[in-house]
Amino acid sequence: MLLLNLALGIHVTSAQNVQHTFALGDTAFLLDQKPLQMISGEMHCYRIPREDWRARMKMAKAMGLNTIGTYVFWNEHEAEKGKYDFSGNNDIAEFVKIAKEEGLWVVLRPSPYSCAEWEFGGYPYWLLKDSTVKVRSKDERFVEAYRNYINKLAKQLVPLLVTHGGNILMVQIENEYGSYNNDKSYLDLNRKIFRDAGFDGILFTCDGADKMGNGYLPGYLPAVNGLENPTAVKKLINSYHDGKGPYYVAEWYPGWFDSWGKRHANTGSKRASETLDKILTAGISLNMYVFHGGTTRGFMNGANMNIREPYAPQVSSYDYDAPLDEAGNATEKYMKFREVIQKHLPAGQTLPDVPEKKKSISFQVKLSGYADLFNNLPKPVESKTPLCFEDLNQAYGFVLYRTKLTGKESGWLKIKEMRDYAIVYVNGKKIAALDRRLRQDSVKLENVPADATLDILVENNGRINYGPYLTDNRQGITKRVTLNGQELFDWKMYGFPFLNLNHLKYTDQPVAGQPMLYKGTFNLTDLGDTYLDMRSFGKGFVFLNGHNLGKYWQIGPQQTIYVPASWLKKGENEVVVFDELKDNHATLDALSASILNQNVNQ
């Protein structure tokens, strides 16, 4: 029945919409029985202010895209088990509807594993509360949660499928599963979950070229990621799809992401535009990953880690060296891609004019309110042994672990399986910072007075989003703390999820040497995009007018935080900066351009 549906096309019967059919031909996608070459670009509603979704779509159209590819992040929609949110920046249905209004098709990628340099690859943290639950498997506990989520998502998006008069052409099940495992029964379970939820259109899988054998589900369209040679693309897909197409590169990379402490990606535009021309000339459909990245707000950046590579958290900027930059402005790469795509338009068709570059502004903020963490402690959770974030029902942010050192002790303090960044204090004095990236988990304590207070401030720096350690992703102090080999007990744990900053008490005097929040207000008579200059700060995050803008870290390469004009207002604005490493900040500068390529030696 499936192959018959694919051969005949899937017919739209809604009387309230223009009727379309979408099918898989032997060599091309067929829209209304005519070949459609998808020229698609990835972007995610969560990384773009809702107020700017339509503007980004218009930029896509002006470059020549006819389709948008988009992930759906489970942890945004079900941050806590059973509590669903499809409002505001999580309104994925509205994102898809705006694309339709702007004349764009959509390829939906709800997976629900996304990778995407996103915290835990898009899985919600609460799946880790039971350490025996295995995500991305047939574990019944995982499958039940997965199915419940997809059923809720279906109510939002099934009405927007092309089979129901909408603009969603295809839906991806799983995501690069071949790089993780090869269980075909698990892949088929994914298919069944989507079908049972009502996703009745075309389903597909995508994998890297060398992993397609593991991740391909027979009977469904196989798409390839990262393969650029047109001949190789066609040969590979033919080999898995009964000698047929269509040929779809689900992720073609015109840029790349950045990780803290590493060099900024700079992939250039000349070679990329030449490659784009070759792919389009061959009649292959593609999805640029990414056309526009935007910003990973809040604490939602992920991290990479594998057997050979140490833990590597990603930066908040998702500029990606993409055709459309972090703020939504056209780059040189954008203009070159536009020239290439224009060459492949049908005779007589032209592209819309490129919207003008957005206005940017600069100013300075005086910081005059101070809230140090140690004087803003919430009610603690007490336990004989330290509890991880998940056991504390905390997803992201920081936890302060506190205990007493009873004697005059010196020696090596070791934190077993610390995730991911910790600052050690004795009687309020900072002793050392420990960084999982650098495989640091120990510090030597010397001349410790009797009955000293030991504090360990631990930060979730981003759960792993890709690789074999995906299932081992609990945060905080996940094992034990020892001093000279002896385990330390009787802990108090103070949670700082920083969902908002409403509970904090500010003073007019800073406290030296403490992790501190700095508040300032500023007035604007004119609005525009701006970039907060964090080069004089250490490590932390920034809130502006209630929005968590994301993280900064002195090591770079990202040194600025993007502020969209739509989140500023005429009149008074408020900014709050948390810095866990440096102190005595008096001002914060806002620049008219970003700095994303400066590394600083630690």
Side-chain angles (χ1 to χ4, degrees):
M1 188 65 180
L2 167 70
L3 294 178
L4 181 64
N5 282 342
L6 298 186
L8 297 179
I10 300 170
H11 293 268
V12 178
T13 58
S14 171
Q16 296 180 353
N17 294 279
V18 176
Q19 294 186 352
H20 292 286
T21 62
F22 183 72
L24 307 182
D26 288 349
T27 59
F29 295 107
L30 300 177
L31 179 66
D32 300 330
Q33 301 180 351
K34 297 178 181 179
L36 169 69
Q37 184 174 24
M38 281 192 280
I39 308 176
S40 176
E42 185 94 6
M43 54 183 177
H44 309 135
C45 65
Y46 321 93
R47 285 173 156 140
I48 307 165
R50 180 182 177 128
E51 299 88 340
D52 298 325
W53 287 350
R54 189 177 298 277
R56 302 299 191 268
M57 302 286 185
K58 290 184 182 298
M59 293 297 292
K61 286 286 288 186
M63 197 181 82
L65 301 186
N66 56 25
T67 307
I68 294 298
T70 188
Y71 277 129
V72 184
F73 298 140
W74 182 358
N75 55 12
E76 282 290 327
H77 295 295
E78 195 181 1
E80 296 294 339
K81 187 174 182 179
K83 299 178 181 178
Y84 296 94
D85 180 11
F86 294 99
S87 65
N89 244 81
N90 290 344
D91 193 349
I92 180 65
E94 182 64 16
F95 185 75
V96 172
K97 291 174 185 175
I98 291 174
K100 183 178 182 181
E101 291 168 3
E102 294 299 324
L104 292 161
W105 301 103
V106 170
V107 171
L108 190 70
R109 309 174 72 199
S111 299
Y113 165 72
S114 300
C115 187
E117 292 70 61
W118 192 266
E119 228 271 349
F120 198 11
Y123 287 130
Y125 90 98
W126 48 262
L127 289 169
L128 297 166
K129 286 185 179 183
D130 183 342
S131 63
T132 67
V133 172
K134 296 298 181 185
V135 301
R136 218 173 186 191
S137 79
K138 292 182 291 185
D139 183 317
E140 292 181 1
R141 296 162 295 180
F142 166 68
V143 172
E144 180 185 16
Y146 171 10
R147 182 180 287 112
N148 290 340
Y149 160 65
I150 292 298
N151 286 339
K152 287 289 186 180
L153 186 67
K155 293 179 180 179
Q156 300 288 320
L157 295 175
V158 164
L160 306 181
L161 299 175
V162 69
T163 48
H164 296 258
N167 57 323
I168 299 174
L169 298 179
M170 302 194 302
V171 176
Q172 178 182 301
I173 55 172
E174 248 293 349
N175 182 56
E176 297 184 324
Y177 178 70
S179 297
Y180 182 79
N181 207 337
N182 61 358
D183 185 346
K184 300 298 183 184
S185 64
Y186 166 73
L187 279 174
D188 193 59
L189 177 61
N190 282 259
R191 175 202 62 79
K192 187 176 187 305
I193 288 172
F194 276 87
R195 286 296 191 225
D196 289 349
F199 288 95
D200 56 3
I202 290 174
L203 306 180
F204 73 100
T205 61
C206 73
D207 289 281
D210 61 337
K211 301 295 183 181
M212 189 175 283
N214 293 340
Y216 167 54
L217 184 62
Y220 292 82
L221 175 67
V224 64
N225 291 353
L227 194 61
E228 297 183 335
N229 182 287
T231 301
V233 169
K234 291 183 177 182
K235 182 179 179 181
L236 180 71
I237 291 178
N238 283 341
S239 69
Y240 287 99
H241 203 225
D242 299 326
K244 299 177 181 179
Y247 308 106
Y248 182 48
V249 180
E251 292 186 11
W252 173 64
Y253 306 111
W256 201 246
F257 62 88
D258 288 342
S259 298
W260 291 115
K262 299 185 178 181
R263 293 176 64 87
H264 173 59
N266 186 358
T267 57
S269 57
K270 184 176 185 297
R271 179 186 174 279
S273 58
E274 291 171 351
T275 301
L276 176 61
D277 193 22
K278 291 177 183 177
I279 293 172
L280 296 182
T281 299
I284 293 170
S285 292
L286 88 168
N287 178 49
M288 302 174 189
Y289 194 95
V290 292
F291 161 68
H292 171 57
T295 310
T296 306
R297 302 292 184 190
F299 303 129
M300 300 309 289
N301 67 284
N304 276 5
M305 184 174 173
N306 57 48
I307 295 171
R308 294 177 298 277
E309 180 187 23
Y311 173 78
Q314 291 115 15
V315 305
S316 290
S317 169
Y318 208 56
D319 178 86
Y320 216 91
D321 196 31
L324 203 65
D325 71 13
E326 184 177 10
N329 291 309
T331 65
E332 177 189 6
K333 190 176 291 182
Y334 177 103
M335 300 308 293
K336 285 187 176 295
F337 284 9
R338 187 174 189 269
E339 291 174 6
V340 168
I341 294 169
Q342 278 183 313
K343 289 170 47 180
H344 294 273
L345 293 177
Q349 285 193 15
T350 59
L351 295 178
D353 291 338
V354 178
E356 292 183 4
K357 184 176 180 179
K358 298 163 67 187
K359 180 181 179 181
S360 61
I361 59 175
S362 60
F363 52 88
Q364 187 177 78
V365 183
K366 182 180 179 182
L367 303 173
S368 56
Y370 310 94
D372 70 285
L373 233 53
F374 290 164
N375 284 318
N376 277 278
L377 297 179
K379 183 179 179 180
V381 174
E382 299 187 25
S383 173
K384 183 176 181 180
T385 57
L387 302 176
C388 66
F389 277 43
E390 292 75 14
D391 289 339
L392 294 167
N393 296 317
Q394 182 173 323
Y396 318 113
F398 300 72
V399 171
L400 181 69
Y401 294 82
R402 173 172 287 180
T403 191
K404 282 283 188 179
L405 301 177
T406 55
K408 292 184 177 181
E409 300 184 65
S410 298
W412 282 97
L413 181 78
K414 182 178 178 65
I415 308 172
K416 180 67 173 175
E417 298 300 333
M418 181 272 295
R419 313 269 179 83
D420 302 299
Y421 191 86
I423 304 177
V424 179
Y425 300 85
V426 175
N427 286 340
K429 180 182 178 181
K430 184 165 66 176
I431 304 300
L434 304 176
D435 188 346
R436 185 182 181 190
R437 294 179 315 121
L438 306 177
R439 297 190 172 98
Q440 297 169 338
D441 66 358
S442 304
V443 60
K444 191 171 185 180
L445 303 183
E446 297 180 311
N447 301 318
V448 177
D451 298 320
T453 297
L454 173 68
D455 286 313
I456 306 173
L457 180 64
V458 181
E459 176 185 3
N460 169 359
N461 229 2
R463 288 183 181 86
I464 295 162
N465 60 258
Y466 180 81
Y469 298 106
L470 189 71
T471 58
D472 182 17
N473 243 334
R474 301 184 109 200
Q475 283 289 317
I477 297 177
T478 63
K479 297 294 184 182
R480 66 190 68 88
V481 182
T482 60
L483 182 59
N484 285 329
Q486 297 297 310
E487 188 169 359
L488 299 179
F489 296 108
D490 300 324
W491 292 88
K492 293 181 179 180
M493 286 147 287
Y494 304 87
F496 290 94
F498 289 121
L499 298 175
N500 59 64
L501 308 180
N502 298 336
H503 62 287
L504 297 170
K505 297 178 180 178
Y506 291 86
T507 68
D508 58 4
Q509 293 295 325
V511 180
Q514 301 295 317
M516 182 84 60
L517 293 106
Y518 299 81
K519 182 168 67 174
T521 58
F522 58 98
N523 285 279
L524 294 176
T525 58
D526 197 16
L527 302 182
D529 287 347
T530 195
Y531 304 84
L532 302 180
D533 183 359
M534 310 310 299
R535 286 176 293 180
S536 64
F537 291 76
K539 187 179 194 301
F541 58 84
V542 180
F543 268 72
L544 184 134
N545 292 336
H547 297 280
N548 188 334
L549 300 179
K551 299 178 183 178
Y552 67 91
W553 196 351
Q554 61 188 1
I555 61 176
Q558 177 187 342
Q559 298 292 350
T560 53
I561 292 181
Y562 168 59
V563 180
S566 54
W567 286 358
L568 293 168
K569 54 189 178 182
K570 290 185 178 180
E572 187 174 270
N573 296 261
E574 179 184 86
V575 64
V576 179
V577 181
F578 175 69
D579 196 336
E580 58 195 287
L581 291 182
K582 294 184 178 181
D583 52 22
N584 293 318
H585 302 296
T587 58
L588 172 65
D589 291 323
L591 310 178
S592 59
S594 64
I595 302 172
L596 300 176
N597 58 355
Q598 288 187 10
N599 291 92
V600 176
N601 293 329
Q602 298 179 78

